[in-house]
Amino acid sequence: MKFLALGLASLTLVSAIAAPKKVSYDGWKVYKIAVGEDKAKVKEVVSNLQLATWKGKVETSQEVDVMVPPSQLKAFETAAQSLKTELMHEDLGASIAAESESSFSVSAAGSLANSTWFNAYHSIADHTQFLKDLQAAYPSNSEIFSAGKSVNGRDLTGIHIWGSGGKGSQKGVVWHGTVHAREWITTMTVEYAAYTLLTSTDSAVKSIVNKYDFYIIPVVNPDGFAYTQTNDRMWRKNRQSTPTASCVGRDINRNWPNQWSQRGGASTSPCDEDYKGPSAGDGVETKALLAHLQSVAKGKGVKMYMDFHSYSQLWMYPYGYTCNSAIPNSSTYKSLSSGAVSAIKAVHGTSYTAGPICNTIYQVSGDSVDYAAQVSGAEYSLTVELRDTGNYGFVLPASQIVPTAEEMWAGLKYFMTNM
């Protein structure tokens, strides 16, 4: 199976292993709630109805996006009638079904007809095959690697890309995608960037490839990602058991052993989506990713680290663990980030906001970006929140994959050209 044949125009969908019944979101609604001066009221509504939050924290955000199950709709409508709300998904289950239909529907012949790779979302097995086919097409300056194994034994598959200096001759650029399983757009965007590095005839891109060794892992949470396709589209964490609760999973981006236990930066509850884990760096995937990042750091060093997320349209840099301290080279970060968001906007008119993580989105402790900057010595360490700002949230239509990837590539190209 060669995805790159005929310009990536053909692919075969690998059949999934039989899995337990999916979580149904039929009839669920997703609302955006303006917090403003109603913080106490919003917190009461979210807490009393035990609503899962997609984006934002009531304590620190101007707005929060919440999922409301059918059983709580009447109660929500009553409790939130004095609040300013906006409906994002009339029926989340229908939105998920439409997303899957556009991405996973197969013809009688078992292939996605008349579609290119970047026009649809794909299975975990197909993503692995895509990387292998991409490498096979450019064997002289790329190789497939595994950063380690996941909880369930899946490889954390990446592609190493290098330029005219030869393998391992330059400082490293490390990119991670899909740390949060439901953020499917990150997988596609990271793959688009890898594909562009290898296929572009642009002299500026060739210059970038010759300057750095790229270590790109589009799916660093393969178990969680697979789980979103077999069981629960809204799953976020990894699939590691916890010693004191029946709830499964750690938030890999709250588990890195640096500034790990900061109040307000992560949850201590195993059932919460931002659970930091019982001990620093104990996540199976965290250990593997950390070891790989440190191996790059101990080699030629890390020039750039970037962790891709969705959604909110943000371009951010350290620190996440504190809002009261600036990274030493913050003025350089600010200047380069301003240029990157301008480059992004120039492509499709999409506006991104740049700034330090804690001040731009919220406090995050035990995250990979702070670790890369403070422990691995990355000269530049960043994270992005891709499209959108809340029209679709995590269930971003497949029609937005290409424009999202195109504009993000423009930002990456600007930053790498000027860093």
Side-chain angles (χ1 to χ4, degrees), residues 314-318 334 337 341 353-361 383:
L314 305 173
W315 180 288
M316 299 176 289
Y317 48 88
K334 183 177 181 180
S337 297
V341 298
T353 299
I357 297 168
C358 188
N359 303 101
T360 306
I361 187 168
T383 183

Side-chain angles (χ1 to χ4, degrees), residues 47-365:
S47 177
N48 288 350
L49 300 181
Q50 297 183 316
L51 302 179
T53 302
W54 270 16
K55 185 188 77 169
K57 293 183 178 181
V58 177
E59 295 79 9
T60 58
S61 303
Q62 290 300 305
E63 58 188 26
V64 292
D65 300 345
V66 298
M67 293 194 300
V68 184
S71 61
Q72 297 283 31
L73 282 174
K74 287 187 178 180
F76 175 80
E77 290 168 358
T78 300
Q81 58 184 337
S82 63
L83 300 174
K84 182 180 179 181
T85 64
E86 178 184 340
L87 184 63
M88 293 169 56
H89 288 277
E90 172 69 34
D91 185 333
L92 180 58
S95 297
I96 292 172
E99 174 191 52
S100 296
E101 183 177 355
S102 65
S103 299
F104 298 109
S105 291
V106 297
S107 68
S111 64
L112 287 170
N114 302 317
S115 174
T116 64
W117 178 257
F118 296 108
N119 284 346
Y121 295 109
H122 309 284
S123 71
I124 182 67
D126 285 344
H127 282 293
T128 300
Q129 189 62 49
F130 169 81
L131 288 183
K132 291 179 179 179
D133 289 342
L134 181 60
Q135 188 280 326
Y138 297 88
S140 63
N141 63 324
S142 67
E143 68 179 5
I144 295 296
F145 70 91
S146 173
K149 298 286 187 179
S150 68
V151 174
N152 294 331
R154 292 182 172 91
D155 279 304
L156 277 60
T157 304
I159 185 167
H160 178 194
I161 298 170
W162 59 87
S164 58
K167 181 173 69 172
S169 64
Q170 307 292 336
K171 279 194 171 185
V173 172
V174 180
W175 292 340
H176 289 171
T178 333
V179 63
H180 294 148
R182 61 194 177 187
E183 298 169 8
W184 289 6
I185 186 61
T186 68
T187 322
M188 303 302 300
T189 300
V190 173
E191 288 176 346
Y192 183 94
Y195 176 75
T196 303
L197 287 171
L198 284 171
T199 63
S200 177
T201 58
D202 182 356
S203 60
V205 176
K206 288 183 176 294
S207 177
I208 291 170
V209 174
N210 289 332
K211 280 185 180 180
Y212 307 111
D213 271 62
F214 289 84
Y215 303 87
I216 303 170
I217 311 175
V219 185
V220 301
N221 181 9
D223 296 344
F225 180 70
Y227 195 75
T228 64
Q229 298 182 336
T230 59
N231 291 70
D232 185 351
R233 175 64 182 87
M234 292 298 108
W235 187 259
R236 170 183 166 105
K237 301 183 286 185
N238 75 351
R239 294 297 300 164
Q240 191 169 350
S241 61
T242 55
T244 60
S246 59
C247 296
V248 173
R250 289 150 179 70
D251 183 339
I252 300 173
N253 202 41
R254 302 294 188 276
N255 187 244
W256 287 69
N258 177 62
Q259 312 293 350
W260 173 69
S261 188
Q262 301 290 323
R263 183 170 181 173
S267 175
T268 59
S269 172
C271 296
D272 286 349
E273 291 186 329
D274 59 345
Y275 175 49
K276 64 182 183 177
S279 61
D282 75 325
V284 172
E285 292 84 3
T286 311
K287 291 178 181 178
L289 295 169
L290 183 157
H292 179 258
L293 181 61
Q294 288 301 89
S295 72
V296 177
K298 291 175 181 178
K300 294 293 184 178
V302 180
K303 181 71 175 184
M304 177 190 190
Y305 171 78
M306 179 166 272
D307 192 16
F308 292 77
H309 290 264
S310 69
Y311 59 98
S312 284
Q313 294 172 199
L314 305 173
W315 180 288
M316 299 176 289
Y317 48 88
Y319 295 116
Y321 76 94
T322 178
C323 295
N324 299 317
S325 180
I327 194 165
N329 54 338
S330 60
S331 61
T332 304
Y333 268 113
K334 183 177 181 180
S335 176
L336 287 172
S337 297
S338 176
V341 298
S342 294
I344 290 170
K345 189 170 185 177
V347 180
H348 295 295
T350 308
S351 295
Y352 273 61
T353 299
I357 297 168
C358 188
N359 303 101
T360 306
I361 187 168
Y362 43 63
Q363 184 184 4
V364 178
S365 59

